[in-house]
């Protein structure tokens, strides 16, 4: 098992160690960008649009800001893509170090070029396939350094001349005085370069460009070929996060180059069929002032022919503006699935930027002809009407992103689930853990594809073969070598035999709960009961004497020394995954009632939970940077904490969840590049905000239960697909009213602070009446508590 922590050991550079550029008021990424009329590439003097709520294309696109998360440790990228698309055409400012997992950080002032695949918000790095960069002057085959970009093909740039909106990216490259613009279809990116000065120019295509490992490219082999006077194709295999990952491209230019040069290990070689690890092509042009040259690039994991066919299928014409408008229309439809009102323009921007980032993964991973590269590294063909996806950050996204997709993505959810089942069938590693472009990274703990599959099953999503999925998950569990055998046989994982033992055990407990639900659906009652029993094994790590979930040794004794803020009892490995005993003590999601009882009952639990938020935020020196966004020992910047504030509802104190959720929304998110605490994590950090802003959250996704928080929106309409609508009505006198005094579901007043997915699956209305004073009786009675450990 590999955690993001392992990558930090070889990628310790962070933006915090570099000079951060301060951009006063960040006008460009707060600006409203007009769709019609004025060029969207120009900022409107820093003006932000009024919070009209009209739901027009201009409104929705302007409020989603791709730049949110490109600073701090957010690890997002600003470039052009479409919802869940395979193509992510974006600038690369650097390609090594933790804060450059996406290839971009807002602190940088030079651009290496534009590559076609990027990760959004991850804590480990990969992709950045096939860098393209326009240039003038002498050909330079190395990118150069950030300190001295002129020594290579890098270019200086200013954020004042940079635009990032959904489906479109533009920047002025200062060094060659070239305006670069990008947009995309699902599998094809199109560049438009305006050579403002004219004269001799060239475009470099660098196949050796990739995420670096200790300064070395992770490309291990490549191929390059010219197929026509205006076309080249190629591919490479990389050994970064996803070892042995295949990627291919086809590239066409709108103008025939005057000359094409190939390089192998930076030495000129005859143009032909070329193989090697360090391959580059240079396409030369004579240009007139302000002449535009377009470049189309199709990508594929299947082969060069697949990449070329993707261009033919998706972008046969040279129509940059039409492609851009089509991409914007797709984003308008995606972001328009929710029309939400806010008192604050900043809240609105954070909300729609969250919906934008939630729509960047999982990503499409098949060709237009239905072929895809499977987890067995073989090429397969999908049944008609099916799609294949990748980039499932399951340890993160099972918590809130996938539950949100069950509401917002009724057509994609069966495809997501089918993909996970297909992966479990094809992969030598078994059930997917963190699959990336046909490779299993084995990153993070648990096998939370079980949660995604079981949640979909319980929520009535049709299409997937749940029986097949269950059997494949059983096989995957049997083959798991990451402490699963101890989890099953001992009811705990020994800290002297396995790293991150407590967290692994707790994650397996949740996955057993998911398996129990699947087995029950399939009427395998004995197996379901066995999984339920295993899901209660977390109690074996409760140490009454310290008041924490604590690691055990193989002989059953407690591991020592113990300090609840530490990562573990030894420097050999941590006992907790990106967390400590404070956070892990509250990490249980499948059995909150059992956790409350284990910790001494409702009163003791509430006191302990209050204590968590009121502790000093001290962390040891070896704490990973993922543990961020601290409120006491609560860490909003990392996923194990995300449900914790909502545990107050299970303990009969929903008003405390309301106050805490509102505080977290106000303090942990901002409408600016450094607007996230911790990594965005392929939609999870955004999904927490989006669902919380609507007023509810799934502590236990498999159960289908949503518990109440404090709606930040003043009202919203959510399109659930197939003509179904969820209306969120919020009645408040003042913007600061954070407490729910009354809660109604479909016209019925509730005495409980939770509801079930079935209540809104066919459409419905949630009504919150807000107050500045807590209603301490709503949801406080034992009969009104959310159910725990009940099979849906």
């Amino acid at each position: 098992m590999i955690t993001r922590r392992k990558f930090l050991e070889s990628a310790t550079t962070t933006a915090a160690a570099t000079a951060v550029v301060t951009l006063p008021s960040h006008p460009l990424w707060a600006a409203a960008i007009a769709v019609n009329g004025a060029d969207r590439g120009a900022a409107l003097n820093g003006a932000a649009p009024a919070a009209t709520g009209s739901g027009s294309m201009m409104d929705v696109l302007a409020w989603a800001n791709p730049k949110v998360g490109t600073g701090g440790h957010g690890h997002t990228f600003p470039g052009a893509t479409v919802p869940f698309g395979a193509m992510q055409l974006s600038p690369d400012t650097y390609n090594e170090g933790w804060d450059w997992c996406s290839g971009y950080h807002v602190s940088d002032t030079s651009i290496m070029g534009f590559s076609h695949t990027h990760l959004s918000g991850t804590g480990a790095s990969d992709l950045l396939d096939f860098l393209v960069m326009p240039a003038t002057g002498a050909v330079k085959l190395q990118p150069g350094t950030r300190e001295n970009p002129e020594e290579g093909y890098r270019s200086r740039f200013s954020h004042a001349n940079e635009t990032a909106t959904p489906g479109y990216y533009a920047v002025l490259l200062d060094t060659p005085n070239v305006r670069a613009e990008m947009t995309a279809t699902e599998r094809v990116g199109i560049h438009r370069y305006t050579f403002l000065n004219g004269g001799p120019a060239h475009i470099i295509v660098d196949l050796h460009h990739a995420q670096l490992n200790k300064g070395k490219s992770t490309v291990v082999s490549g191929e390059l070929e010219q197929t026509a006077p205006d076309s080249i194709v190629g591919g490479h295999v990389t050994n970064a996060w996803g070892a042995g990952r295949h990627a291919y491209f086809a590239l066409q230019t709108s103008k025939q180059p005057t000359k094409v040069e190939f390089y192998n290990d930076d030495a000129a070689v005859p143009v032909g069929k070329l193989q090697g690890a360090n391959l580059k092509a240079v396409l030369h042009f004579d240009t007139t002032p302000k002449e535009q040259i377009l470049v189309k690039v199709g990508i594929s994991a299947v082969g060069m022919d697949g990449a070329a066919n993707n261009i033919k299928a998706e972008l046969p014409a040279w129509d940059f503006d039409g492609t851009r408008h089509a991409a914007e229309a797709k984003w308008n439809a995606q972001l328009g699935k929710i029309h939400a009102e806010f008192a604050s323009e900043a809240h609105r921007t954070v909300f729609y930027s969250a919906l934008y980032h939630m729509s960047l993964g999982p990503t499409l991973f098949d060709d237009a002809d239905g072929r895809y590269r499977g987890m067995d590294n073989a090429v397969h063909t999908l049944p008609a009407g099916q799609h294949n996806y990748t980039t499932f950050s399951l340890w993160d996204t099972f918590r809130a992103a996938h539950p949100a997709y069950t509401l917002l993505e009724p057509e994609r959810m069966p495809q997501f689930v089918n993909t996970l089942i297909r992966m479990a069938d094809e992969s030598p590693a078994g059930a997917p853990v963190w699959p990336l472009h046909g490779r299993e990274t084995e990153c993070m703990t648990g096998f939370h594809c079980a949660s995604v599959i079981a949640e979909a099953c319980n929520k009535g999503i049709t299409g997937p073969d749940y029986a097949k999925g269950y059997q494949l998950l059983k096989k995957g569990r049997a083959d798991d070598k990451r402490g699963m055998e101890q989890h099953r046989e001992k009811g705990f994982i020994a800290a002297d035999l396995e790293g991150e033992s407590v967290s692994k055990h707790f994650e397996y407990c949740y996955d057993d709960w998911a398996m129990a639900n699947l087995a029950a659906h399939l009427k395998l009652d004995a197996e379901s009961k066995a999984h339920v029993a295993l899901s209660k094994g977390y109690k074996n790590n409760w140490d009454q004497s310290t008041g924490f979930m604590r690691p055990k040794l193989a002989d059953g004794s407690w591991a020592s020394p113990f300090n609840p803020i530490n990562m573990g009892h030894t420097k050999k490995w941590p006992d907790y995954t990106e967390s400590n005993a404070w956070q892990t003590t509250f990490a249980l999601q499948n059995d909150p009632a059992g956790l409350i009882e284990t910790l001494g009952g409702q009163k003791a639990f509430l006191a302990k939970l209050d204590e968590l938020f009121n502790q000093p935020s001290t962390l040891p020196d070896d704490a990973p940077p993922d543990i961020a966004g601290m409120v006491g020992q609560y860490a909003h910047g990392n996923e194990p904490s995300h449900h914790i504030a909502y545990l107050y509802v299970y303990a009969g104190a929903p008003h405390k969840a309301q106050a805490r959720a509102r505080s977290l929304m106000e303090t942990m998110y901002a409408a600016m590049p450094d607007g996230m605490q911790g990594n965005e994590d392929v939609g999870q950090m955004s999904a927490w905000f989006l669902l919380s802003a609507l007023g509810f959250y799934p502590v236990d996704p498999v159960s289908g239960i949503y518990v109440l928080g404090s709606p930040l929106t003043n009202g919203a309409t959510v399109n659930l697909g197939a003509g179904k609508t969820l209306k969120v009505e919020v009645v408040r006198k003042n913007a600061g009213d954070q407490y729910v005094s009354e809660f109604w579901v479909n016209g019925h007043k509730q005495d409980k602070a939770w509801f079930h997915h079935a209540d809104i699956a066919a459409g419905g209305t949630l009504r919150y009446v807000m107050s500045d004073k807590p209603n301490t009786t709503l949801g406080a009675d034992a009969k009104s508590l959310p159910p725990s450990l009940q099979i849906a």
Side-chain angles (χ1 to χ4, degrees), residues 73-331:
H73 301 315
H75 298 184
T76 63
F77 65 87
T81 188
V82 295
F84 304 97
M87 171 63 64
Q88 306 95 31
L89 178 49
S90 190
D92 295 344
T93 60
Y94 194 47
N95 55 340
E96 186 170 26
W98 191 56
D99 276 332
W100 288 268
C101 288
S102 74
Y104 181 98
H105 197 275
V106 77
S107 62
D108 288 323
T109 57
S110 66
I111 287 173
M112 306 171 76
F114 307 96
S115 63
H116 299 81
T117 56
H118 293 81
L119 292 167
S120 180
T122 59
S125 57
D126 207 323
L127 308 188
L128 313 186
D129 294 307
F130 314 124
L131 182 125
V132 173
M133 184 62 167
T136 58
V139 172
K140 299 172 183 176
L141 298 175
Q142 293 296 319
T145 64
R146 289 176 294 165
E147 295 75 20
N148 185 17
E150 286 78 12
E151 70 183 10
Y153 57 66
R154 274 181 177 273
S155 174
R156 296 184 187 273
F157 79 106
S158 168
H159 290 292
N161 296 320
E162 184 185 40
T163 299
T165 57
Y168 177 75
Y169 176 85
V171 66
L172 177 64
L173 300 173
D174 292 338
T175 304
N177 200 24
V178 172
R179 178 171 171 78
E181 300 172 89
M182 275 118 233
T183 190
T185 67
E186 277 71 17
R187 304 171 182 88
V188 183
I190 183 167
H191 312 231
R192 182 163 68 185
Y193 298 124
T194 303
F195 293 85
L196 297 173
N197 294 342
H202 60 274
I203 295 173
I204 187 167
V205 183
D206 189 346
L207 280 67
H208 196 233
H209 175 79
Q211 286 285 0
L212 303 181
N213 183 7
K214 298 181 180 178
K216 303 293 184 182
S217 173
T218 50
V219 174
V220 295
S221 65
E223 50 189 319
L224 180 63
E225 179 183 356
Q226 184 175 13
T227 55
D230 61 354
S231 302
I232 62 173
V233 298
H236 60 204
V237 177
T238 61
N239 276 343
W241 190 16
R245 185 180 62 85
H246 289 243
Y248 301 91
F249 78 95
L251 180 149
Q252 299 175 1
T253 57
S254 60
K255 178 178 181 177
Q256 184 174 323
T258 58
K259 181 174 63 172
V260 175
E261 296 177 311
F262 281 5
Y263 293 85
N264 192 346
D265 288 331
D266 290 351
V269 296
V271 173
K273 291 186 177 181
L274 193 61
Q275 292 187 334
N278 181 4
L279 304 180
K280 299 181 177 80
V282 179
L283 286 61
H284 292 266
F285 302 89
D286 290 326
T287 64
T288 58
K290 298 184 180 180
E291 181 176 355
Q292 293 182 334
I293 296 177
L294 278 64
V295 180
K296 291 191 289 192
V297 179
I299 58 170
S300 169
V302 171
M304 294 176 285
D305 62 330
N309 184 62
N310 288 338
I311 295 178
K312 292 178 183 178
E314 294 185 4
L315 197 56
W318 292 101
D319 184 3
F320 183 92
D321 290 329
T323 305
R324 170 182 161 191
H325 293 151
E328 290 170 340
K330 291 172 185 175
W331 277 115

Side-chain angles (χ1 to χ4, degrees), residues 541-673:
N541 284 100
W542 171 246
D543 177 15
Q544 180 68 41
S545 66
T546 61
F548 289 96
M549 295 293 180
R550 185 174 172 183
K552 275 186 172 181
L553 302 178
D555 63 5
S557 63
W558 296 117
S560 294
F562 175 76
N563 184 326
I565 71 167
N566 285 347
M567 303 299 103
H569 74 288
T570 174
K571 296 299 181 183
K572 180 180 180 181
W573 50 42
D575 295 323
Y576 307 94
T577 301
E578 296 181 3
S579 56
N580 60 24
W582 269 110
Q583 293 126 36
T584 306
T585 294
F586 297 98
L588 259 294
Q589 295 176 246
N590 58 296
D591 187 19
L595 179 65
I596 292 167
E597 180 185 5
T598 299
L599 268 63
Q602 188 179 85
K603 183 177 179 181
F605 180 85
L606 288 172
K608 188 75 172 181
L609 192 49
D610 288 343
E611 193 180 1
L612 167 78
F613 288 105
N614 293 307
Q615 286 293 298
S617 295
T618 307
L619 292 172
D621 293 339
D622 62 346
D626 305 84
I627 305 178
M630 302 296 289
V631 181
Q633 282 295 314
Y634 172 91
H636 191 75
N638 213 20
E639 279 68 20
S641 287
H642 275 190
H643 66 284
I644 291 177
Y646 289 97
L647 291 176
Y648 280 116
V649 179
Y650 287 84
H655 64 284
K656 291 194 172 187
Q658 294 156 21
R660 185 59 64 188
R662 179 64 179 263
S663 174
L664 292 170
M665 284 185 278
E666 296 278 11
T667 60
M668 296 291 151
Y669 297 83
M672 57 190 298

Side-chain angles (χ1 to χ4, degrees), residues 2 22 53 75 100 167 211 258 347 419 454 494 510 530 539 578 596-597 600 619 682 767-768:
I2 303 170
T22 302
H75 298 184
W100 288 268
Q211 286 285 0
T258 58
H347 290 160
T419 295
Y510 192 80
K539 298 179 181 181
E578 296 181 3
I596 292 167
E597 180 185 5
L619 292 172
V682 199
R767 180 178 174 86
Y768 303 85

